[in-house]
Amino acid sequence: MNRLITFEGIDGSGKSTQISMLCSKFEENNIKFISVREPGSTTISEMIRSILLDKTNHGLGSESESLLFMAARAQITHEVIEPALNSGKFVICDRYIDSTIAYQGYGRGLDIPYLKSLNQYATRNIIPELTFILDVDKETSIDRRDPRETDRMESGGDEFIKKVINGYRTMAKENDRFRLLNGTKPPLDLFENIWMIITNTFGELHV
Ligand code: TYD
């Protein structure tokens, strides 16, 4: 069992709020952890992130996009995530391997088994122990988004978001590391649920 916990969901699903509540809870309980986001969280991965999210990069194709996400992922995994897990820390990651399956696989229509093997290659097969998928519909996502800050991935249109939402819902049924939770629930109620699942999964939380 590793201590990697990931959060997934479309833009506006409430991941950031839940992640910051989880970080506070870990801090209060003196639990050793780090919190990172994908793509990003290392100098090289942040550089790749800026290519991926730059709205002026109209010509970026789906294959290039996928490989850039993979490159950012390989870098953060080996530079940050793996060492932290090896030292016994919890790692909270805002998006990880499943974002590629949802966005590039279900969303862009690329070959899912192939993307899964690229994920294995990029991470040397590090798989989260627990993955929360915060589920919201398209309307909630759009309502919660700041239109002035739309990035390249968020400019994908309604059909794209719908495919990603359905992709996550399908994935949630395929593996029991996934917990599909209603992202429209009041944040405190949702967090109570998340905390209960974490304590049930990991039992003794101190290192
Ligand atoms: P970000 O601003 O981090 O979005 P959020 O706050 O919603 O997590 O931007 C990351 C965007 O990249 C987001 O739209 C999802 C997308 N993405 C992929 O398409 N594939 C991936 O593998 C990853 C990690 C993210």
Side-chain angles (χ1 to χ4, degrees), residues 9-12 15-16 37-39 49 53 65 69-70 73 94-101 103-104 151 153-154 160:
I10 57 166
D11 306 292
K15 286 183 288 109
S16 320
R37 70 164 179 185
E38 264 233 74
R49 177 187 175 89
L53 299 188
E65 176 183 285
F69 278 118
M70 290 296 168
R73 177 161 308 135
D94 183 347
R95 302 190 176 283
Y96 198 49
I97 50 176
D98 305 304
S99 282
T100 305
I101 307 307
Y103 283 79
Q104 281 65 50
D151 62 40
M153 290 304 301
E154 287 164 349
F160 179 66

Side-chain angles (χ1 to χ4, degrees), residues 39-54 57 68 72:
S41 294
T42 74
T43 309
I44 293 166
S45 304
E46 288 290 338
M47 287 165 85
I48 300 172
R49 177 187 175 89
S50 58
I51 302 173
L52 280 163
L53 299 188
D54 184 343
N57 282 337
L68 286 168

Side-chain angles (χ1 to χ4, degrees), residues 118-180:
L118 285 175
N119 267 333
Q120 287 181 331
Y121 177 72
T123 63
R124 292 190 206 127
N125 218 6
I126 292 182
I127 296 167
E129 191 64 35
L130 197 54
T131 298
F132 294 104
I133 300 175
L134 305 189
D135 183 56
V136 293
D137 57 22
K138 179 174 64 75
E139 287 68 31
T140 309
S141 163
I142 291 166
D143 283 354
R144 286 177 177 180
R145 184 184 298 165
D146 182 345
R148 287 162 307 175
E149 286 182 12
T150 306
D151 62 40
R152 198 185 60 84
M153 290 304 301
E154 287 164 349
S155 320
D158 283 9
E159 274 315 301
F160 179 66
I161 306 184
K162 272 199 238 161
K163 287 183 196 163
V164 176
I165 294 172
N166 288 327
Y168 275 127
R169 289 177 182 164
T170 306
M171 290 157 67
K173 294 186 198 130
E174 288 171 355
N175 193 308
D176 35 293
R177 79 178 155 88
F178 290 115
R179 298 290 188 283
L180 186 77

